[in-house]
Amino acid sequence: QHDACGVFVPVPPQFLNYPTNTYAYESTDIEMECAVTGNPLPTVRWMKNGEEVIPSDYFQIVDGTNLQILGLVKSDEGFYQCVAENSAGSSQAMAQLLLRDPGRKNPPVTDTVGTSQHLNASCCHSSSPVAPSSSPSSSF
């Protein structure tokens, strides 16, 4: 983009479509959307639980920014993050993928807890554990 005088104006990445939490069955194919804009046009990469997703026959980038996963397996569960970057900045959006067990209505609790703990261990949230009110903290 240029201003009225024709000067290049950098614009940080902005999301047009965010990835959404997805529930799917094993052996199916899914596509997680991530549409971005910015100036210059941002590059997009995907992360799974904090590690970069490497495109392959199994994980494919389609339409330039969307992540397609073919033939889902249990280990594909986790938190997927779309990271858009350009010279003006970066933006990130995250969604969770959970696989449904055909014999159950809800995902098993152990999988959800394990995935959440993995995310908390590898993510960069600034929240810290709160001490229980029954045991006063003297670390100030």
Side-chain angles (χ1 to χ4, degrees):
Q1 294 178 348
H2 293 78
D3 67 9
C5 298
V7 176
F8 174 80
V9 179
V11 178
Q14 298 174 340
F15 287 95
L16 302 173
N17 277 334
Y18 292 88
T20 56
N21 291 340
T22 304
Y23 292 89
Y25 291 101
E26 278 192 63
S27 303
T28 61
D29 302 340
I30 63 151
E31 187 172 323
M32 299 184 94
E33 289 188 19
C34 181
V36 296
T37 185
N39 193 33
L41 190 63
T43 58
V44 171
R45 59 192 170 95
W46 283 87
M47 311 283 283
K48 177 192 171 195
N49 295 332
E51 296 183 12
E52 188 159 0
V53 173
I54 306 299
S56 64
D57 290 341
Y58 184 60
F59 289 101
Q60 299 177 358
I61 304 298
V62 294
D63 297 329
T65 57
N66 294 349
L67 177 66
Q68 186 176 60
I69 306 173
L70 304 175
L72 290 173
V73 295
K74 193 70 174 167
S75 62
D76 291 328
E77 281 191 324
F79 289 87
Y80 287 81
Q81 192 172 22
C82 175
V83 181
E85 298 172 307
N86 68 10
S87 58
S90 68
S91 295
Q92 304 173 8
M94 188 182 314
Q96 185 175 18
L97 170 62
L98 288 172
L99 266 59
R100 293 185 184 274
D101 184 330
R104 298 183 186 169
K105 291 186 177 180
N106 296 316
V109 174
T110 53
D111 290 339
T112 304
V113 170
T115 303
S116 297
Q117 289 173 343
H118 187 179
L119 173 74
N120 291 338
S122 65
C123 192
C124 49
H125 291 291
S126 59
S127 62
S128 58
V130 177
S133 57
S134 62
S135 57
S137 175
S138 60
S139 61
F140 294 103

